[in-house]
Amino acid sequence: MSQPRSAAVRPHRLAVAIATLLPIGAALAQETTSAAPAEASTLETVEVTAQRKVENIQDVPVSISSVSAEKLDVLGSGGNDVRFLSGRVPSLNIESSYGRAFPRFYIRGLGNTDFDLNASQPVSLIYDEVVQESPLLKGFPVFDLERIEVLRGPQGTLFGRNTPAGVVKFESAKPTRELGGYGQIAYGNDNMWNFEGAVGGPISERWSARVSALYQRRDDWVDNTREGAPSDGFEGYDEAAARVQFLYEGDAFEALLNLHRRDLNGTARLFRANIIEPGSNRFVPGFDKEKVSTDGVNFSELETWGGSARLRWDFGNLSLYSITGYETAESLNRGDIDGGYGAVFLPDSGPGVIPFASESADGLPDHKQITQEFRLESDYAGKFNWQAGVFYFKEDITIDSFNYDSLTPGNPQAGHAVQEQENTAWAVFASGEYDATEKLKLRAGVRYTKDEKDFSASVLEAAPFGAPAGGPYRVSTDVDDVSWDASAVYAINDDVNFYGRVAKGFRAPSIQGRLLFAAADAPNGGVSTADSEEVISYEIGVKADLWDKRARIGFNLFRYNVDDQQIIAVGGGSNIATLLNADKSVGQGFELDLEAYLTDSLLVTLGSSYNDTEIKDGNLFVPGCGGGCTVTDPLTADGYSIDGNPLPQAPKWVHNLTARYGIPMGEGAELYFYTDWAYRSEVNFFLYESPEFRGRSSLEGGLRIGYGWEYGDYEVAAFGRNITDQTRIVGGIDFNNLTGFINEPRTYGIEFTARF
């Protein structure tokens, strides 16, 4: 199956009124608009699998955004990793202190800033129906996809594995009976190369196959000015990924087999010492993003591979599904955490004040994840249909944490701790839908989950000024929980649906043992545990096709309450990470998705969201920064009170806009212009509030100018990402000095694509 061709080779026409931004106005406008001219084309129906079956996105009572293959191709220009999705749909934020290796997802402000390789996240990533639990699995490159779906709010009934905030769902392009594929090659600044391609088709009467591959590289674009340092350049990468799929189609049986692999070799996140101006969130005067001065070793190595088998038996009114998944990862990331060189007690150090040197690495030498689901789905002709199934999850991990002495030639190892965890979980679930009337459809579901963890951590080699060798320190958890959801969809007419939904989500306990710098008398060696968290979410909304299906809108209002939210106090004066539970946190806001043809040739999409989050716990206190910052929260004998603070990395406002304008250039040819913009408001990097560690608002844009011919079979394009070259501090290290890390720089290049 070839990659979807540009929609603009077909003429479209629309006049959109401001009433499309208002749900009630949308419903009324739909009733009164006269028929469109016969030649006017319409928006294609967006099909999603948010409820584990194919449905029109307008009929699903969940706040969903779907990102098409064409938009993914534009946003991913220049070799960008999965973080390019941040802000590209309402209420979605993605950031990382590991660079390309370890993305952290946030939906409606709910996420996890934890940088430990054992961290759990409340946003689940599902790749081809298989949950990717380890943070290192969540960054698999984006290529040869049908679409990405972002489901907001708890999804605990049908997906279940750590989904209290929502789900990001990837669907690969599948094998078909039609021979086809594509090849794409791009070259850009900093010697950036990007290649991806796929080929697929029938291989026998019953079997089809599809092979997809990607290769990306970029030279270092940051120079190290420190003479004699072990690393002289940073921010380059070399990455490859591949996916092979086989599809068997029998009379009453179907099997889709998937093998995939990723290899990444590059630099880890680059930390930059004292780049924040004290008392503000701006860069210090003279900041040069293309230069640093550090004395540490920096690299990122990651290898993941896995496979899945998705089987389906057709029994007429019933279908039985079996989904088996296996994933494994191996990694080592090493970086200069203090972001500079030397130390204040030495004759030579900088830039700025470096209280003490810090260089560390985290690795995943052993990881294995196995998942199995059996699901039975009905397809009756009557008013009631249902799904029910069982799910099994098992993960075994080993994590190495190392410390190094940057002040000694050769940067020798000076500390080693290890964590091991075995996590076993199983669940049973059921969901049903009932057509109460011709216009009213009801849905409800329930899921019972049992989750067990056995954890141990040891300090094998003590770090300077850290915890002595000791252990193993052990923790075990054993919990169960019931998640559920209930919703209703009411059809005002054929084109306008109102819906309401209430859902409960659950996240199992988390355990962490970053022990190298724990106090010698820390309880259980410094291992910390966060108990289960539970979320109740309420949502009402409208979804409508407007102006004879030449525009589409989705709008909703939501509120959620989290009991015992898992949070992480990171950094501080001792550079430790401690898991905590906040008594309560709340969030509320709205989300808007709009897509419309404004003229025959101009397609515009608009997304917007408002997320107001607040921590509510008068007895919760955290340490402040280790040096240089100004904490504005009340200070007590127990630490800084964070009661009333917003959640970290939770922007109140997220907006995105795209516009595509096409100009016909003869039979089957087109010149087009595509621009996209994403805005997010300010964010706190940590639980406490500090002007230095509050990221400024951000607005990044992209531009693409392309020419296609042979009805989209061939295309050449020039592209730019972050075209204004905006530079922002997007995260910080707070235990030592005013250290931060920044966003991706401007990239630009040319690209050629051939489809067949």
Side-chain angles (χ1 to χ4, degrees):
M1 179 180 179
S2 61
Q3 196 180 40
R5 298 179 181 176
S6 164
V9 298
R10 299 180 297 272
H12 297 269
R13 183 179 175 190
L14 176 68
V16 173
I18 191 65
T20 60
L21 296 177
L22 302 173
I24 300 301
L28 296 176
Q30 191 62 45
E31 296 283 5
T32 59
T33 301
S34 60
E39 70 273 11
S41 298
T42 60
L43 290 171
E44 296 179 356
T45 298
V46 175
E47 294 184 336
V48 296
T49 55
Q51 303 289 285
R52 307 297 298 275
K53 60 182 181 179
V54 178
E55 295 179 278
N56 185 336
I57 192 173
Q58 302 297 80
D59 297 331
V60 181
V62 177
S63 177
I64 311 172
S65 293
S66 179
V67 187
S68 67
E70 182 185 10
K71 182 179 285 190
L72 291 173
D73 187 47
V74 173
L75 299 179
S77 299
N80 291 329
D81 61 280
V82 70
R83 288 172 293 168
F84 71 68
L85 288 173
S86 182
R88 300 297 173 176
V89 300
S91 294
L92 178 65
N93 187 33
I94 309 173
E95 53 87 27
S96 174
S97 56
Y98 277 74
R100 301 170 72 88
F102 182 155
R104 296 189 286 250
F105 292 77
Y106 305 77
I107 292 180
R108 293 178 174 172
L110 287 178
N112 188 356
T113 59
D114 193 352
F115 54 83
D116 191 80
L117 295 180
N118 192 32
S120 74
Q121 296 181 349
V123 178
S124 184
L125 188 139
I126 310 293
Y127 217 118
D128 290 331
E129 297 295 329
V130 177
V131 62
Q132 308 292 294
E133 182 66 15
S134 169
L136 294 179
L137 297 175
K138 297 178 187 289
F140 194 84
V142 178
F143 67 102
D144 195 31
L145 298 181
E146 290 180 356
R147 66 187 178 278
I148 294 176
E149 300 171 19
V150 179
L151 286 59
R152 294 175 284 263
Q155 307 297 322
T157 297
L158 293 176
F159 296 98
R161 181 69 195 174
N162 290 341
T163 63
V167 166
V168 180
K169 195 168 182 288
F170 291 70
E171 288 290 337
S172 299
K174 305 300 187 295
T176 69
R177 300 300 296 171
E178 178 184 354
L179 177 64
Y182 73 98
Q184 185 178 88
I185 187 168
Y187 177 76
N189 59 321
D190 298 315
N191 199 27
M192 183 277 296
W193 287 92
N194 184 34
F195 166 79
E196 67 173 272
V199 60
I203 55 177
S204 73
E205 182 179 354
R206 296 285 191 177
W207 286 93
S208 305
R210 187 174 183 91
V211 180
S212 313
L214 172 139
Y215 174 74
Q216 299 174 326
R217 72 164 311 280
R218 183 178 70 187
D219 286 348
D220 293 327
W221 60 272
V222 180
D223 294 328
N224 191 359
T225 62
R226 181 66 177 167
E227 293 185 7
S231 300
D232 57 8
F234 306 99
E235 298 286 19
Y237 58 82
D238 192 292
E239 181 164 17
R243 180 167 52 243
V244 181
Q245 299 177 88
F246 296 94
L247 175 64
Y248 175 82
E249 297 174 282
D251 294 332
F253 172 72
E254 181 178 284
L256 179 62
L257 310 178
N258 179 314
L259 292 172
H260 48 270
R261 181 184 175 99
R262 177 195 188 189
D263 288 276
L264 170 65
N265 180 20
T267 58
R269 196 54 142 151
L270 180 59
F271 304 125
R272 303 164 182 255
N274 295 301
I275 64 171
I276 306 171
E277 186 175 328
S280 78
N281 57 6
R282 298 184 177 273
F283 291 103
V284 295
F287 171 74
D288 185 346
K289 67 180 178 182
E290 296 184 356
K291 297 184 183 300
V292 296
S293 189
T294 70
D295 57 8
V297 176
N298 181 299
F299 64 83
S300 176
E301 296 177 349
L302 173 63
E303 175 186 307
T304 71
W305 69 273
S308 64
R310 300 162 65 178
L311 313 179
R312 177 180 177 269
W313 290 266
D314 186 354
F315 301 114
N317 292 333
L318 294 175
S319 294
L320 174 64
Y321 295 84
S322 170
I323 303 174
T324 306
Y326 175 84
E327 302 289 341
T328 185
E330 183 177 349
S331 76
L332 185 62
N333 288 267
R334 180 171 172 178
D336 190 1
I337 310 304
D338 63 78
Y341 61 90
V344 70
F345 51 82
L346 297 176
D348 189 21
S349 67
V353 176
I354 309 295
F356 54 88
S358 178
E359 180 182 341
S360 66
D362 287 306
L364 196 68
D366 187 30
H367 169 270
K368 178 175 66 176
Q369 173 192 295
I370 298 172
T371 57
Q372 175 64 55
E373 178 178 281
F374 292 104
R375 178 168 54 91
L376 197 61
E377 178 184 317
S378 74
D379 186 20
Y380 302 131
K383 295 184 176 183
F384 179 72
N385 276 287
W386 53 270
Q387 302 180 60
V390 296
F391 173 79
Y392 175 80
F393 172 90
K394 182 175 178 60
E395 182 187 53
D396 293 298
I397 60 172
T398 300
I399 299 172
D400 284 323
S401 296
F402 301 99
N403 186 71
Y404 301 92
D405 182 2
S406 302
L407 307 181
T408 299
N411 301 55
Q413 182 177 307
H416 179 201
V418 63
Q419 305 176 58
E420 295 178 312
Q421 179 175 284
E422 179 180 302
N423 182 193
T424 303
W426 60 270
V428 294
F429 61 92
S431 177
E433 60 181 66
Y434 176 69
D435 295 339
T437 69
E438 188 175 311
K439 293 191 173 186
L440 178 63
K441 179 176 289 188
L442 306 177
R443 305 191 189 201
V446 64
R447 186 184 193 101
Y448 172 83
T449 300
K450 177 81 167 178
D451 188 285
E452 299 177 359
K453 291 186 174 75
D454 291 307
F455 175 92
S456 70
S458 302
V459 179
L460 305 182
E461 176 189 356
F465 312 108
Y473 307 102
R474 302 184 186 277
V475 174
S476 294
T477 63
D478 185 352
V479 300
D480 58 6
D481 191 84
V482 176
S483 302
W484 50 265
D485 66 81
S487 61
V489 180
Y490 185 80
I492 301 296
N493 53 42
D494 290 341
D495 297 310
V496 180
N497 289 334
F498 278 90
Y499 75 91
R501 181 175 189 260
V502 59
K504 175 181 177 289
F506 156 77
R507 182 155 59 121
S510 298
I511 312 170
Q512 190 177 105
R514 299 186 64 85
L515 307 184
L516 281 181
F517 295 98
D521 59 350
N524 203 27
V527 175
S528 61
T529 304
D531 295 332
S532 302
E533 71 178 22
E534 295 184 353
V535 182
I536 296 287
S537 173
Y538 308 89
E539 181 178 319
I540 58 171
V542 60
K543 299 184 179 185
D545 293 320
L546 306 172
W547 315 110
D548 297 313
K549 299 188 185 298
R550 290 171 289 165
R552 180 183 297 123
I553 189 173
F555 179 85
N556 69 273
L557 302 170
F558 67 86
R559 179 180 173 85
Y560 61 80
N561 301 282
V562 189
D563 288 332
D564 298 319
Q565 182 178 351
Q566 297 180 23
I567 57 177
I568 183 83
V570 300
S574 56
N575 191 29
I576 61 172
T578 304
L579 289 166
L580 303 167
N581 287 100
D583 181 40
K584 291 185 181 295
S585 61
V586 298
Q588 57 193 350
F590 71 82
E591 288 145 349
L592 168 71
D593 271 305
L594 173 67
E595 183 177 15
Y597 283 98
L598 300 183
T599 71
D600 289 354
S601 304
L602 179 60
L603 172 64
V604 172
T605 69
L606 172 67
S608 182
S609 60
Y610 175 76
N611 290 266
D612 180 23
T613 64
E614 182 181 355
I615 298 170
K616 291 189 172 185
D617 191 335
N619 297 311
L620 186 59
F621 307 94
V622 301
C625 60
C629 84
T630 308
V631 181
T632 58
D633 294 315
L635 177 62
T636 72
D638 298 316
Y640 289 96
S641 172
I642 60 172
D643 184 38
N645 285 1
L647 294 172
Q649 291 291 346
K652 279 194 174 183
W653 290 101
V654 171
H655 308 302
N656 60 83
L657 173 72
T658 72
R660 189 187 192 283
Y661 185 77
I663 304 173
M665 302 294 289
E667 184 69 22
E670 180 201 36
L671 174 68
Y672 71 87
F673 302 85
Y674 192 114
T675 187
D676 60 274
W677 295 85
Y679 170 86
R680 66 141 179 84
S681 57
E682 291 185 327
V683 293
N684 283 345
F685 298 153
F686 304 108
L687 293 170
Y688 60 81
E689 293 201 298
S690 163
E692 293 88 352
F693 291 118
R694 183 166 178 80
R696 297 174 59 196
S697 60
S698 170
L699 176 64
E700 289 194 12
L703 179 64
R704 185 181 181 94
I705 303 173
Y707 177 76
W709 65 99
E710 294 294 329
Y711 298 95
D713 283 346
Y714 301 96
E715 180 182 307
V716 62
F719 64 84
R721 307 302 306 161
N722 189 11
I723 56 176
T724 62
D725 204 20
Q726 175 187 259
T727 305
R728 287 287 187 270
I729 301 166
V730 295
I733 304 293
D734 75 337
F735 77 94
N736 195 334
N737 48 43
L738 294 177
T739 294
F741 45 93
I742 67 173
N743 62 317
E744 292 293 305
R746 175 169 52 201
T747 58
Y748 52 87
I750 57 174
E751 180 181 277
F752 173 74
T753 304
R755 301 176 178 89
F756 61 94

